[in-house]
Amino acid sequence: MTSVSSTSEHDSSKPAYSRVIAIAGAKGGVGKTTIAVNAALCLAALGRRVVLVDADRLAGNVHILLGIQRPLSNGKVTEMTRTEKSEPLFGAVLSETPYARLQVLYANVDQWPDGLKNLVRYRKLTQAVAHLDADHVVMDLGDGMDGALVDTFFGADVGLLVTTPDASAIENVQRFVRASFWRGLRRIQPGRGSVAAWAQRLRKISGMSAPHELLKRLLAEGDPIVSELQQLIHSFRLNLVVNQTRVRQDLTLGDGVAIAIKRGLGLQVDYVGHVSHDEALWLCARKRRPLMIESPGSKAGRCIEKLVRRTVSRQRLPSPLNGVPMGSCFEWLGVGRGATDEEVRRAFKRMKEIFGAESLAVHGLFDAEELRAVHDQLEEAYSVLLDPGRRRAYEHTLFSTSPPAEVGSEAPMVPNPDALSRFPEIGPDTQYSGALLRAIREAQGIELDYVSRHTKIGIGYLTAIEEDNFGALPEKVYVRGYVAELAKMLRLDARQVSRTYIRKLESHRSDAVSQ
């Protein structure tokens, strides 16, 4: 057992990976300590030197899950050594563990007083953590949304907010996001006197309204603080982890919460992963043994490893909304400019589920009237993007730097929606034939020679595809490419179209050989 001290050899330059990972929860019992302990062990197993910081101000207990004794010296917590780079940290002690490359810093914050002293000591903890001689520091901050915890959470390289798929935990996530934003807003200090006076003015302006609503209000008033507020909204970033997932709907809940918060508050939340409900976790806790030691190949163990790798490398999934204006039909449905009709249908169905009256993702964030307004916007976006004529005009207006997309030749066909009247509704399981593809093309008012010019597919082959004249078509590999290009032109699901059409082609040619 040694007291915490900095090292002169420590390189203070910021690494390319996430060094300090803060883990917190807006509600108790969501599993933040379990994830923190096992994430630290996962990093150690990858060959990194790791310090696990127990900074839970209510009940620091990472030692229980690690199966070690609470770090004490002669019945009294050893005080952190003062160095030239750090102030004294009352009661902090750095202990070795039985696990290679893993140390535990017991910060003793559960014995600290509340209020200003608590805030000051959290700041000292943050300063000390910055100078720890380790590749990674994993901080278990516990639960809550007080100022000291929020400041420490957002001061880390990456902050992971843990929740579970239940209404109270999801509602507390939304409260944590609000509290975090208003905490940042109080620190803007726009030259209007004290922080208290600024906070009082904010409450008078709009109470605790959504950030984007506050921005609208201040824009209307011409307030000079608007630019700083916009920067705060733009820079706000929070990473969400859903723990104890059981059913399929739980796996997409994080995405739904992120979309609902973006729509309701105008703030960015990134869903970075889930951890499956696993009896192995319960058994390990009973035995006071870490999951990543006892059962690293379990469902929960694999989830935690994937989460750790993604977090450390700062991986972010590419957004389909790059270049799409906020508030546009594309943004409302969460699709890119080149989305096919099938992608639009799927996105619409998904958004209707996310903003459903019984959806966990919107619990506590929207009232019934606001949800109706959201559904009206979704219906409007859906009708615009599925109507070829309206979509062309809308895209021309929205993306004014681009010329309007032509459909058809110099003498375009008149769209004929009745062409699809003899076919069932198109969906993800639709079996595509040449006749159906032709009906879709005619319904959109697209000439066959226009398709030929833009896809570079001979008009003879396109005609053979639409007439199901399989004998006039080339080898299967070429037909697959032709059909996929035609599907993209018609804004259909290219994989489903080519898969089902090639199945018909194979069946026809197999019958021909057998005869």
Side-chain angles (χ1 to χ4, degrees), residues 17-53:
Y17 53 82
S18 302
R19 180 177 178 272
V20 181
I21 302 170
I23 299 176
K27 177 180 179 292
V30 295
K32 55 206 169 293
T33 300
T34 299
I35 292 177
V37 167
N38 288 288
L41 281 165
C42 183
L43 287 168
L46 294 174
R48 312 289 179 82
R49 294 170 303 139
V50 184
V51 174
L52 174 60
V53 180

Side-chain angles (χ1 to χ4, degrees), residues 336-347:
R337 181 181 178 183
T340 66
D341 287 0
E342 185 56 39
E343 288 170 339
V344 170
R345 292 187 184 94
R346 290 178 177 175

Side-chain angles (χ1 to χ4, degrees), residues 303-340:
C303 289
I304 291 174
E305 181 181 359
K306 184 184 298 184
L307 175 65
V308 166
R309 290 182 182 275
R310 183 180 299 132
T311 300
V312 169
S313 62
R314 299 180 183 175
Q315 294 177 6
R316 294 197 187 279
L317 297 176
S319 171
L321 302 181
N322 291 334
V324 172
M326 291 293 295
S328 67
C329 293
F330 296 97
E331 190 267 337
W332 269 96
L333 295 183
V335 296
R337 181 181 178 183
T340 66

